């Protein structure tokens, strides 16, 4: 009886050793970068001691995701448009990091749906990853919309966060 028990234990040890050499992907492993979309981009707008970084269509009211800050504050005000009945939160993701921010919701004056606004720390893990990857995704109603810059506007992201502190 002792020999079969040793065989089982040694087989389990070998199996555990074999399994230990195969590591699953990290949940925070960077996702592949999405492609930039024609006409849409990340725009940086400094104005005195305030600045804004928005993803949208140039010179239009088509805003997908916005971030505002006061110079050196280390705080962001996020804004996004949600559909009618959208949960009062802004859920963003970048390269495997996510951030879920409780939001205020009010009827949108420009769209069917609501305007969502939330506060966040500029150094939250999702924004640190955004600074490295250059893209961010917004999750709304179970759908993921990824926002990538065009090569000429990639520096806008770092300029914004350097301004915000």
């Amino acid at each position: 009886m002792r020999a079969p028990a040793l065989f089982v234990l040694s087989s389990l040890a070998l199996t555990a050793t074999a399994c230990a050499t195969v590591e699953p992907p990290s949940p925070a492993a960077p996702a592949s970068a999405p492609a930039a979309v024609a006409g849409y981009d990340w725009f940086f707008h400094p104005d005195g001691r305030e600045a804004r970084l928005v993803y949208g269509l140039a010179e239009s009211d088509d805003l997908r995701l916005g971030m505002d800050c006061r110079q050196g504050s280390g705080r962001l005000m996020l804004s996004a448009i949600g559909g009618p009945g959208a949960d009062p939160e802004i859920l963003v993701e970048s390269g495997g990091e996510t951030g879920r921010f409780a939001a205020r919701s009010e009827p949108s004056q420009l769209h069917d749906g609501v305007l969502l606004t939330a506060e966040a720390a500029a150094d939250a893990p999702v924004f640190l990853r955004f600074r490295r990857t250059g893209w961010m995704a917004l999750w709304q109603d179970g759908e993921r919309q990824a926002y990538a810059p065009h090569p000429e506007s990639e520096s806008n992201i770092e300029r914004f966060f350097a301004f915000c502190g």
Side-chain angles (χ1 to χ4, degrees):
M1 183 120 136
R2 190 148 169 79
L6 285 176
F7 175 74
V8 169
L9 286 176
S10 64
S11 295
L12 287 174
L14 287 173
T15 303
T17 303
C19 290
T21 60
V22 178
E23 294 182 24
S26 167
S32 62
V37 175
Y40 286 86
D41 211 344
W42 285 102
F43 299 98
F44 174 59
H45 302 284
D47 185 14
R49 295 193 39 84
E50 306 287 327
R52 179 164 240 223
L53 180 69
V54 296
Y55 183 85
L57 192 57
E59 300 179 29
S60 78
D61 292 329
D62 191 350
L63 162 83
R64 301 301 170 96
L65 180 61
M67 298 178 216
D68 294 275
C69 76
R70 184 158 184 77
Q71 188 171 20
S73 69
R75 302 290 303 164
L76 305 177
M77 179 61 75
L78 307 174
S79 56
I81 301 296
D87 288 337
E89 69 178 10
I90 295 177
L91 176 58
V92 290
E93 174 240 327
S94 184
E97 287 288 343
T98 59
R100 183 181 303 263
F101 304 97
R104 288 180 296 284
S105 177
E106 59 187 70
S108 172
Q109 302 298 317
L110 301 173
H111 306 280
D112 291 336
V114 295
L115 173 64
L116 301 168
T117 56
E119 290 187 49
D123 63 355
V126 69
F127 299 121
L128 295 176
R129 186 65 60 98
F130 175 41
R131 291 173 79 169
R132 288 193 303 272
T133 65
W135 63 269
M136 180 163 282
L138 177 65
W139 285 86
Q140 290 184 320
D141 300 323
E143 291 185 27
R144 179 180 182 264
Q145 299 173 20
Y147 307 138
H150 290 273
E152 62 274 7
S153 64
E154 287 177 354
S155 65
N156 287 342
I157 296 163
E158 186 56 33
R159 289 173 52 209
F160 174 77
F161 283 97
F163 181 92
C164 296

